[in-house]
Amino acid sequence: MTHYPGLLRTAPLKEETTSSLICRIASRYGLEARVLRSCWHWRNYQPGHDGGGARADAEVLLNAAGRQLLAGLCGVKEDVLARALPSWAREDSKLPAEEDGVPAAAWRIGGAVAGPVVFGCRLCAARRTGTAGRVMQYAPLWSRVCVRHARWQLDADADQPLEYLDVRHLPEVVQAQRRWAGVARRAVRAGAEPERVFALAHAVVARWWEQALHWERETIWPRRLHQVAGGDAGGDLERWRIVGRDAVVFPEVVAVADALLDPAMAELVWADSGAGRPRALPADGVFCRRLGERLGRGWLGPLAATDHGGPLIAWMGSVIRLRRGAGGRPGTTTTPGGCARNTRPPPWPDSCGCWARRRRRPARGRCGGLRCPPSSAG
C-alpha cells in the first residue's frame, strides 16, 4: 500500500493517547478507525474487557516507520507529536527493528504505558479542534477536573458508559482543583513528591469514605454524591458511591494534603505524643481536632484519632519517630514513603467491576463493592 501525506491537518491534544489521535484522524477523513488502522502491520489484538467489547483505554505503540506514517497522516511534525503524546517514543519488544522500514503497531493497555487514561472533555476538544468527538487522555487523579466546563473526567478503564460527572453545582470541587496547584508547589518546596503526598491524603480520606455511611453527622458528602448522580442516587446508591467517590471527596483530599505539608500541624502531632515524655496518642488530640476543623467537621477529630491501623495514624507515627530518632524538621516528615498496600483504597474501576460482577452473579457469594481488593477485579 502506498501512503500519502494527509491533506487534512489533525493536531494532537496535550496528553492524548496515540490510539485516540488515530481515531480522530479517521473521523476527519470520514473513515472507520479500523480502516485507517489497516495502514499499520499489527503485532497483536486490541485489548478488550472480560465481558467483551473493546477497552476505551487501549493504547497504541508504534515503531519508527509507524510514527513517520502517523505524522504524515495527521500533517503534524514528529517533534510536535512527541511533546503531545506520552506514548510516542515508548519501545516494545513486539515491534520490528528500526531498520525494518515497515510501519508496525502494537496494542497495549494505556494504564501500563504512561499512567491512568480518562475520557477527555469533549467540549474542550471541540473548542480546540473544531470537531466534536471522543478523546482519550492521560490524567492522574489530581488533575481530573475540567475547570472551564466543571466536569470530573472519569477513568476509561472501567466498563461503564459514563465519561464524566457534572460538578457545575459543586464549586468546591472546581476550587479544589485550582488549589491543588499551590499544594503541589508547597510539596516540592518541602522536598516531597506531590504525587506521593496526594496518594497519602487520598488514602486517608478514602478510608473515611468507607466509614462515612455510619457517620450520622456527615452531611456534606451525601449532598455532593446526590448532586453528581444527577440529583438523586436513589436505589443505585452503592454504584454511585463507587463511581462518584473520587470526585466527591476531592476537596477533602486536597485539604488533607495541605495539612500534611504544614509544619505547624506536624508540631501538633509531636505535642500530642508527649514530645520529650512519650505517651500514647490521645483520642482528643489537638492535631486530629484541628484537622477536622480544617475540613469543616469539628466532630471528626475523635473518630480520626481512634482509627488505628489507618494511613493517618501511620503518618502520625512517622512524624513522631523522625522527631525522636533523626531529629528532623516536622515539615519534612510529610514526604510519605508510600502508603502500606493494605491501607490503599482500590481504584474505583476495580470496585465498579466487582460490583457489576456481583450484580450479574448474585448467587456466587458476596464481594464488598467498596472494599474489594484490587487483585479480585478483572
Side-chain angles (χ1 to χ4, degrees):
M1 178 185 292
T2 302
H3 305 292
Y4 299 96
L7 299 176
L8 300 176
R9 186 175 186 274
T10 306
L13 296 172
K14 185 179 180 181
E15 303 298 314
E16 187 174 8
T17 68
T18 302
S19 176
S20 172
L21 178 58
I22 291 174
C23 290
R24 290 200 300 114
I25 295 171
S27 177
R28 193 83 187 274
Y29 285 96
L31 301 173
E32 292 186 14
R34 63 181 180 82
V35 174
L36 185 63
R37 287 197 291 258
S38 66
C39 294
W40 287 270
H41 292 258
W42 292 87
R43 302 296 172 164
N44 58 356
Y45 293 103
Q46 185 173 0
H49 291 288
D50 291 342
R55 293 180 62 117
D57 66 331
E59 178 58 300
V60 171
L61 300 183
L62 306 172
N63 67 348
R67 293 193 291 269
Q68 184 178 11
L69 171 60
L70 181 60
L73 289 172
C74 66
V76 176
K77 293 182 179 180
E78 290 193 41
D79 61 335
V80 175
L81 294 172
R83 290 193 297 271
L85 308 179
S87 67
W88 180 254
R90 299 298 174 104
E91 302 292 336
D92 192 274
S93 59
K94 288 184 177 293
L95 298 177
E98 298 294 334
E99 60 271 11
D100 190 308
V102 176
W107 286 105
R108 288 291 178 266
I109 294 174
V113 174
V117 177
V118 302
F119 295 98
C121 177
R122 288 184 182 240
L123 298 179
C124 285
R127 178 174 175 268
R128 295 169 185 170
T129 66
T131 58
R134 193 174 79 172
V135 175
M136 312 308 300
Q137 294 172 295
Y138 290 98
L141 192 56
W142 53 83
S143 64
R144 295 294 176 83
V145 181
C146 171
V147 174
R148 179 182 294 274
H149 300 110
R151 291 180 170 185
W152 178 274
Q153 309 304 139
L154 289 172
D155 295 80
D157 59 342
D159 188 10
Q160 58 88 38
L162 293 177
E163 293 188 9
Y164 68 91
L165 300 176
D166 188 346
V167 295
R168 286 177 296 174
H169 300 292
L170 297 175
E172 64 269 33
V173 176
V174 178
Q175 291 166 5
Q177 182 67 83
R178 293 192 177 100
R179 185 183 178 191
W180 168 249
V183 175
R185 289 192 296 269
R186 193 172 306 115
V188 173
R189 290 196 299 269
E193 297 177 18
E195 58 271 23
R196 302 184 79 176
V197 175
F198 185 92
L200 175 56
H202 183 260
V204 169
V205 178
R207 185 174 175 93
W208 292 341
W209 174 257
E210 292 184 358
Q211 302 165 352
L213 280 175
H214 308 292
W215 292 351
E216 295 182 359
R217 300 179 68 177
E218 177 57 54
T219 60
I220 299 174
W221 284 345
R223 174 184 62 83
R224 288 186 197 153
L225 184 63
H226 287 300
Q227 193 65 58
V228 300
D232 185 5
D236 212 8
L237 180 63
E238 183 180 4
R239 172 177 169 269
W240 279 111
R241 274 183 56 83
I242 296 171
V243 175
R245 180 194 68 187
D246 293 335
V248 169
V249 305
F250 186 60
E252 284 73 25
V253 172
V254 174
V256 169
D258 190 33
L260 298 181
L261 289 165
D262 188 344
M265 293 294 286
E267 201 60 55
L268 294 179
V269 175
W270 176 239
D272 285 340
S273 72
R277 304 179 66 180
R279 66 180 182 186
L281 290 171
D284 60 347
V286 180
F287 168 79
C288 287
R289 185 168 69 248
R290 190 69 53 79
L291 181 60
E293 292 169 355
R294 290 175 70 148
L295 298 176
R297 297 166 173 81
W299 47 266
L300 180 58
L303 296 176
T306 55
D307 183 22
H308 302 293
L312 182 62
I313 298 296
W315 175 82
M316 295 169 68
S318 71
V319 172
I320 297 166
R321 287 191 297 273
L322 182 61
R323 285 293 297 270
R324 288 179 180 164
R329 290 190 304 108
T332 64
T333 61
T334 58
T335 307
C339 305
R341 290 192 177 277
N342 61 351
T343 65
R344 295 177 186 172
W348 77 262
D350 290 344
S351 295
C352 194
C354 179
W355 172 83
R357 288 193 298 275
R358 188 172 71 252
R359 289 285 291 263
R360 290 195 296 266
R361 301 193 297 270
R364 294 194 176 190
R366 291 190 57 80
C367 178
L370 292 178
R371 304 183 184 183
C372 173
S375 60
S376 66

PDB file of all heavy atoms in Angstrom, residues 30 44 76 82 84 90 98 100 118 127 151 153 177 199 204 213 238 252 272 275 300 310 316 320 348 363:
ATOM      1  N   GLY A  30     -13.582  10.784   7.342  1.00  0.00           N
ATOM      2  CA  GLY A  30     -14.820  10.061   7.117  1.00  0.00           C
ATOM      3  C   GLY A  30     -14.647   8.560   7.050  1.00  0.00           C
ATOM      4  O   GLY A  30     -15.422   7.864   6.376  1.00  0.00           O
ATOM      5  N   ASN A  44      -0.420  -7.674  17.523  1.00  0.00           N
ATOM      6  CA  ASN A  44      -1.283  -8.366  18.475  1.00  0.00           C
ATOM      7  C   ASN A  44      -2.706  -7.846  18.318  1.00  0.00           C
ATOM      8  O   ASN A  44      -2.985  -7.026  17.438  1.00  0.00           O
ATOM      9  CB  ASN A  44      -0.781  -8.197  19.912  1.00  0.00           C
ATOM     10  CG  ASN A  44      -0.672  -6.731  20.322  1.00  0.00           C
ATOM     11  OD1 ASN A  44      -0.911  -5.828  19.509  1.00  0.00           O
ATOM     12  ND2 ASN A  44      -0.323  -6.489  21.568  1.00  0.00           N
ATOM     13  N   VAL A  76       1.307  16.676  10.928  1.00  0.00           N
ATOM     14  CA  VAL A  76       1.972  17.333  12.056  1.00  0.00           C
ATOM     15  C   VAL A  76       3.384  16.778  12.180  1.00  0.00           C
ATOM     16  O   VAL A  76       3.607  15.575  11.999  1.00  0.00           O
ATOM     17  CB  VAL A  76       1.189  17.095  13.371  1.00  0.00           C
ATOM     18  CG1 VAL A  76       1.925  17.700  14.557  1.00  0.00           C
ATOM     19  CG2 VAL A  76      -0.212  17.681  13.271  1.00  0.00           C
ATOM     20  N   ALA A  82       5.687  14.157  19.520  1.00  0.00           N
ATOM     21  CA  ALA A  82       6.469  13.631  20.642  1.00  0.00           C
ATOM     22  C   ALA A  82       6.177  14.402  21.925  1.00  0.00           C
ATOM     23  O   ALA A  82       6.148  13.822  23.024  1.00  0.00           O
ATOM     24  CB  ALA A  82       7.959  13.683  20.318  1.00  0.00           C
ATOM     25  N   ALA A  84       3.321  15.993  22.601  1.00  0.00           N
ATOM     26  CA  ALA A  84       1.908  15.889  22.973  1.00  0.00           C
ATOM     27  C   ALA A  84       1.503  14.488  23.415  1.00  0.00           C
ATOM     28  O   ALA A  84       0.662  14.333  24.310  1.00  0.00           O
ATOM     29  CB  ALA A  84       1.028  16.333  21.809  1.00  0.00           C
ATOM     30  N   ARG A  90       7.674   5.280  23.207  1.00  0.00           N
ATOM     31  CA  ARG A  90       7.768   4.052  24.000  1.00  0.00           C
ATOM     32  C   ARG A  90       8.130   2.865  23.108  1.00  0.00           C
ATOM     33  O   ARG A  90       7.547   2.670  22.040  1.00  0.00           O
ATOM     34  CB  ARG A  90       6.447   3.778  24.724  1.00  0.00           C
ATOM     35  CG  ARG A  90       6.028   4.871  25.708  1.00  0.00           C
ATOM     36  CD  ARG A  90       7.044   5.020  26.820  1.00  0.00           C
ATOM     37  NE  ARG A  90       6.741   6.131  27.696  1.00  0.00           N
ATOM     38  CZ  ARG A  90       6.214   6.011  28.913  1.00  0.00           C
ATOM     39  NH1 ARG A  90       5.923   4.808  29.381  1.00  0.00           N
ATOM     40  NH2 ARG A  90       5.975   7.079  29.653  1.00  0.00           N
ATOM     41  N   GLU A  98      14.239  -0.886  14.035  1.00  0.00           N
ATOM     42  CA  GLU A  98      14.089   0.412  13.373  1.00  0.00           C
ATOM     43  C   GLU A  98      14.414   0.333  11.883  1.00  0.00           C
ATOM     44  O   GLU A  98      13.805   1.003  11.063  1.00  0.00           O
ATOM     45  CB  GLU A  98      14.995   1.444  14.053  1.00  0.00           C
ATOM     46  CG  GLU A  98      14.668   1.686  15.523  1.00  0.00           C
ATOM     47  CD  GLU A  98      13.302   2.339  15.712  1.00  0.00           C
ATOM     48  OE1 GLU A  98      12.844   3.036  14.791  1.00  0.00           O
ATOM     49  OE2 GLU A  98      12.695   2.141  16.772  1.00  0.00           O
ATOM     50  N   ASP A 100      13.854  -1.948   9.849  1.00  0.00           N
ATOM     51  CA  ASP A 100      12.917  -2.768   9.071  1.00  0.00           C
ATOM     52  C   ASP A 100      12.185  -1.936   8.028  1.00  0.00           C
ATOM     53  O   ASP A 100      11.976  -2.379   6.899  1.00  0.00           O
ATOM     54  CB  ASP A 100      11.915  -3.427  10.034  1.00  0.00           C
ATOM     55  CG  ASP A 100      11.073  -4.485   9.349  1.00  0.00           C
ATOM     56  OD1 ASP A 100      10.476  -4.172   8.306  1.00  0.00           O
ATOM     57  OD2 ASP A 100      11.007  -5.611   9.857  1.00  0.00           O
ATOM     58  N   VAL A 118      -8.178   8.747  30.888  1.00  0.00           N
ATOM     59  CA  VAL A 118      -9.524   9.233  31.180  1.00  0.00           C
ATOM     60  C   VAL A 118     -10.212   9.658  29.883  1.00  0.00           C
ATOM     61  O   VAL A 118      -9.570   9.851  28.854  1.00  0.00           O
ATOM     62  CB  VAL A 118      -9.507  10.433  32.153  1.00  0.00           C
ATOM     63  CG1 VAL A 118      -8.817  10.050  33.443  1.00  0.00           C
ATOM     64  CG2 VAL A 118      -8.834  11.645  31.524  1.00  0.00           C
ATOM     65  N   ARG A 127     -13.655  22.702  21.155  1.00  0.00           N
ATOM     66  CA  ARG A 127     -13.193  24.095  21.126  1.00  0.00           C
ATOM     67  C   ARG A 127     -11.810  24.211  20.480  1.00  0.00           C
ATOM     68  O   ARG A 127     -11.529  25.172  19.763  1.00  0.00           O
ATOM     69  CB  ARG A 127     -13.171  24.631  22.552  1.00  0.00           C
ATOM     70  CG  ARG A 127     -12.672  26.063  22.698  1.00  0.00           C
ATOM     71  CD  ARG A 127     -12.840  26.526  24.138  1.00  0.00           C
ATOM     72  NE  ARG A 127     -12.263  27.846  24.327  1.00  0.00           N
ATOM     73  CZ  ARG A 127     -11.015  28.065  24.716  1.00  0.00           C
ATOM     74  NH1 ARG A 127     -10.210  27.040  24.959  1.00  0.00           N
ATOM     75  NH2 ARG A 127     -10.551  29.285  24.859  1.00  0.00           N
ATOM     76  N   ARG A 151     -16.354  19.679  34.826  1.00  0.00           N
ATOM     77  CA  ARG A 151     -16.599  18.244  34.637  1.00  0.00           C
ATOM     78  C   ARG A 151     -15.469  17.448  35.276  1.00  0.00           C
ATOM     79  O   ARG A 151     -14.298  17.771  35.084  1.00  0.00           O
ATOM     80  CB  ARG A 151     -16.674  17.895  33.142  1.00  0.00           C
ATOM     81  CG  ARG A 151     -17.899  18.434  32.442  1.00  0.00           C
ATOM     82  CD  ARG A 151     -17.902  18.040  30.975  1.00  0.00           C
ATOM     83  NE  ARG A 151     -19.186  18.344  30.352  1.00  0.00           N
ATOM     84  CZ  ARG A 151     -19.501  18.021  29.096  1.00  0.00           C
ATOM     85  NH1 ARG A 151     -18.613  17.381  28.332  1.00  0.00           N
ATOM     86  NH2 ARG A 151     -20.681  18.316  28.614  1.00  0.00           N
ATOM     87  N   GLN A 153     -13.522  14.225  34.959  1.00  0.00           N
ATOM     88  CA  GLN A 153     -13.281  13.233  33.910  1.00  0.00           C
ATOM     89  C   GLN A 153     -13.064  11.851  34.539  1.00  0.00           C
ATOM     90  O   GLN A 153     -12.193  11.680  35.394  1.00  0.00           O
ATOM     91  CB  GLN A 153     -12.065  13.638  33.088  1.00  0.00           C
ATOM     92  CG  GLN A 153     -12.105  15.078  32.568  1.00  0.00           C
ATOM     93  CD  GLN A 153     -13.335  15.390  31.744  1.00  0.00           C
ATOM     94  OE1 GLN A 153     -13.915  16.452  31.873  1.00  0.00           O
ATOM     95  NE2 GLN A 153     -13.745  14.460  30.898  1.00  0.00           N
ATOM     96  N   GLN A 177      -9.473  21.911  42.619  1.00  0.00           N
ATOM     97  CA  GLN A 177      -8.552  21.684  41.510  1.00  0.00           C
ATOM     98  C   GLN A 177      -7.578  22.853  41.376  1.00  0.00           C
ATOM     99  O   GLN A 177      -6.378  22.659  41.174  1.00  0.00           O
ATOM    100  CB  GLN A 177      -9.331  21.497  40.209  1.00  0.00           C
ATOM    101  CG  GLN A 177      -8.471  21.197  39.008  1.00  0.00           C
ATOM    102  CD  GLN A 177      -7.787  19.845  39.108  1.00  0.00           C
ATOM    103  OE1 GLN A 177      -8.363  18.824  38.798  1.00  0.00           O
ATOM    104  NE2 GLN A 177      -6.538  19.830  39.565  1.00  0.00           N
ATOM    105  N   ALA A 199      -1.267  10.797  47.212  1.00  0.00           N
ATOM    106  CA  ALA A 199      -1.650   9.398  47.430  1.00  0.00           C
ATOM    107  C   ALA A 199      -1.942   9.132  48.899  1.00  0.00           C
ATOM    108  O   ALA A 199      -2.898   8.429  49.239  1.00  0.00           O
ATOM    109  CB  ALA A 199      -0.544   8.470  46.930  1.00  0.00           C
ATOM    110  N   VAL A 204      -6.112   8.444  53.171  1.00  0.00           N
ATOM    111  CA  VAL A 204      -6.731   8.860  54.435  1.00  0.00           C
ATOM    112  C   VAL A 204      -8.213   9.138  54.230  1.00  0.00           C
ATOM    113  O   VAL A 204      -9.081   8.640  54.968  1.00  0.00           O
ATOM    114  CB  VAL A 204      -6.024  10.116  54.995  1.00  0.00           C
ATOM    115  CG1 VAL A 204      -6.815  10.705  56.158  1.00  0.00           C
ATOM    116  CG2 VAL A 204      -4.601   9.775  55.433  1.00  0.00           C
ATOM    117  N   LEU A 213     -20.740   5.997  55.969  1.00  0.00           N
ATOM    118  CA  LEU A 213     -22.122   5.532  55.997  1.00  0.00           C
ATOM    119  C   LEU A 213     -22.659   5.441  57.419  1.00  0.00           C
ATOM    120  O   LEU A 213     -23.873   5.493  57.637  1.00  0.00           O
ATOM    121  CB  LEU A 213     -22.229   4.168  55.305  1.00  0.00           C
ATOM    122  CG  LEU A 213     -22.272   4.172  53.772  1.00  0.00           C
ATOM    123  CD1 LEU A 213     -22.254   2.754  53.240  1.00  0.00           C
ATOM    124  CD2 LEU A 213     -23.497   4.920  53.269  1.00  0.00           C
ATOM    125  N   GLU A 238     -25.228   2.249  45.904  1.00  0.00           N
ATOM    126  CA  GLU A 238     -23.954   1.530  46.001  1.00  0.00           C
ATOM    127  C   GLU A 238     -23.074   1.825  44.792  1.00  0.00           C
ATOM    128  O   GLU A 238     -21.876   2.093  44.932  1.00  0.00           O
ATOM    129  CB  GLU A 238     -24.196   0.034  46.122  1.00  0.00           C
ATOM    130  CG  GLU A 238     -22.905  -0.764  46.302  1.00  0.00           C
ATOM    131  CD  GLU A 238     -23.145  -2.255  46.416  1.00  0.00           C
ATOM    132  OE1 GLU A 238     -24.313  -2.691  46.289  1.00  0.00           O
ATOM    133  OE2 GLU A 238     -22.158  -2.993  46.631  1.00  0.00           O
ATOM    134  N   GLU A 252     -11.679  17.393  50.134  1.00  0.00           N
ATOM    135  CA  GLU A 252     -11.083  16.962  51.393  1.00  0.00           C
ATOM    136  C   GLU A 252      -9.692  16.379  51.185  1.00  0.00           C
ATOM    137  O   GLU A 252      -8.803  16.558  52.028  1.00  0.00           O
ATOM    138  CB  GLU A 252     -11.986  15.927  52.081  1.00  0.00           C
ATOM    139  CG  GLU A 252     -13.221  16.498  52.750  1.00  0.00           C
ATOM    140  CD  GLU A 252     -14.289  16.958  51.760  1.00  0.00           C
ATOM    141  OE1 GLU A 252     -14.308  16.436  50.618  1.00  0.00           O
ATOM    142  OE2 GLU A 252     -15.102  17.826  52.126  1.00  0.00           O
ATOM    143  N   ASP A 272       1.054  16.084  70.807  1.00  0.00           N
ATOM    144  CA  ASP A 272       0.084  15.077  71.239  1.00  0.00           C
ATOM    145  C   ASP A 272       0.773  13.804  71.726  1.00  0.00           C
ATOM    146  O   ASP A 272       0.246  13.078  72.585  1.00  0.00           O
ATOM    147  CB  ASP A 272      -0.869  14.716  70.096  1.00  0.00           C
ATOM    148  CG  ASP A 272      -1.904  15.798  69.837  1.00  0.00           C
ATOM    149  OD1 ASP A 272      -2.134  16.629  70.740  1.00  0.00           O
ATOM    150  OD2 ASP A 272      -2.483  15.813  68.732  1.00  0.00           O
ATOM    151  N   ALA A 275       5.801  14.746  73.275  1.00  0.00           N
ATOM    152  CA  ALA A 275       7.094  15.372  72.967  1.00  0.00           C
ATOM    153  C   ALA A 275       8.217  14.601  73.663  1.00  0.00           C
ATOM    154  O   ALA A 275       8.430  13.422  73.390  1.00  0.00           O
ATOM    155  CB  ALA A 275       7.083  16.842  73.353  1.00  0.00           C
ATOM    156  N   LEU A 300     -15.055  15.457  63.708  1.00  0.00           N
ATOM    157  CA  LEU A 300     -14.299  14.352  63.111  1.00  0.00           C
ATOM    158  C   LEU A 300     -13.078  13.940  63.936  1.00  0.00           C
ATOM    159  O   LEU A 300     -12.648  12.781  63.861  1.00  0.00           O
ATOM    160  CB  LEU A 300     -13.861  14.748  61.700  1.00  0.00           C
ATOM    161  CG  LEU A 300     -13.050  13.722  60.890  1.00  0.00           C
ATOM    162  CD1 LEU A 300     -13.823  12.415  60.723  1.00  0.00           C
ATOM    163  CD2 LEU A 300     -12.658  14.295  59.537  1.00  0.00           C
ATOM    164  N   GLY A 310      -5.070   2.798  60.317  1.00  0.00           N
ATOM    165  CA  GLY A 310      -5.308   3.576  59.116  1.00  0.00           C
ATOM    166  C   GLY A 310      -4.079   4.367  58.700  1.00  0.00           C
ATOM    167  O   GLY A 310      -3.116   4.507  59.460  1.00  0.00           O
ATOM    168  N   MET A 316       1.193   9.843  61.365  1.00  0.00           N
ATOM    169  CA  MET A 316       1.495  10.477  62.655  1.00  0.00           C
ATOM    170  C   MET A 316       2.643   9.746  63.344  1.00  0.00           C
ATOM    171  O   MET A 316       3.534  10.359  63.933  1.00  0.00           O
ATOM    172  CB  MET A 316       0.256  10.489  63.535  1.00  0.00           C
ATOM    173  CG  MET A 316      -0.876  11.363  62.989  1.00  0.00           C
ATOM    174  SD  MET A 316      -2.448  11.148  63.859  1.00  0.00           S
ATOM    175  CE  MET A 316      -2.049  11.858  65.460  1.00  0.00           C
ATOM    176  N   ILE A 320       6.414  11.205  64.597  1.00  0.00           N
ATOM    177  CA  ILE A 320       6.951  11.019  65.955  1.00  0.00           C
ATOM    178  C   ILE A 320       8.298  10.305  65.914  1.00  0.00           C
ATOM    179  O   ILE A 320       9.254  10.701  66.588  1.00  0.00           O
ATOM    180  CB  ILE A 320       5.935  10.233  66.810  1.00  0.00           C
ATOM    181  CG1 ILE A 320       4.632  11.036  66.957  1.00  0.00           C
ATOM    182  CG2 ILE A 320       6.535   9.895  68.174  1.00  0.00           C
ATOM    183  CD1 ILE A 320       3.472  10.221  67.487  1.00  0.00           C
ATOM    184  N   TRP A 348     -11.475   3.042  41.764  1.00  0.00           N
ATOM    185  CA  TRP A 348     -12.912   2.800  41.630  1.00  0.00           C
ATOM    186  C   TRP A 348     -13.266   1.903  40.446  1.00  0.00           C
ATOM    187  O   TRP A 348     -14.257   1.163  40.538  1.00  0.00           O
ATOM    188  CB  TRP A 348     -13.686   4.118  41.597  1.00  0.00           C
ATOM    189  CG  TRP A 348     -13.641   4.878  40.314  1.00  0.00           C
ATOM    190  CD1 TRP A 348     -12.834   5.919  40.001  1.00  0.00           C
ATOM    191  CD2 TRP A 348     -14.455   4.661  39.156  1.00  0.00           C
ATOM    192  NE1 TRP A 348     -13.077   6.354  38.721  1.00  0.00           N
ATOM    193  CE2 TRP A 348     -14.073   5.610  38.177  1.00  0.00           C
ATOM    194  CE3 TRP A 348     -15.465   3.752  38.838  1.00  0.00           C
ATOM    195  CZ2 TRP A 348     -14.660   5.674  36.915  1.00  0.00           C
ATOM    196  CZ3 TRP A 348     -16.049   3.814  37.572  1.00  0.00           C
ATOM    197  CH2 TRP A 348     -15.651   4.768  36.637  1.00  0.00           C
ATOM    198  N   ALA A 363     -25.497 -15.246  43.078  1.00  0.00           N
ATOM    199  CA  ALA A 363     -25.509 -16.495  43.839  1.00  0.00           C
ATOM    200  C   ALA A 363     -24.121 -17.030  44.125  1.00  0.00           C
ATOM    201  O   ALA A 363     -23.968 -18.037  44.790  1.00  0.00           O
ATOM    202  CB  ALA A 363     -26.310 -17.560  43.072  1.00  0.00           C
TER     203      ALA A 363
END
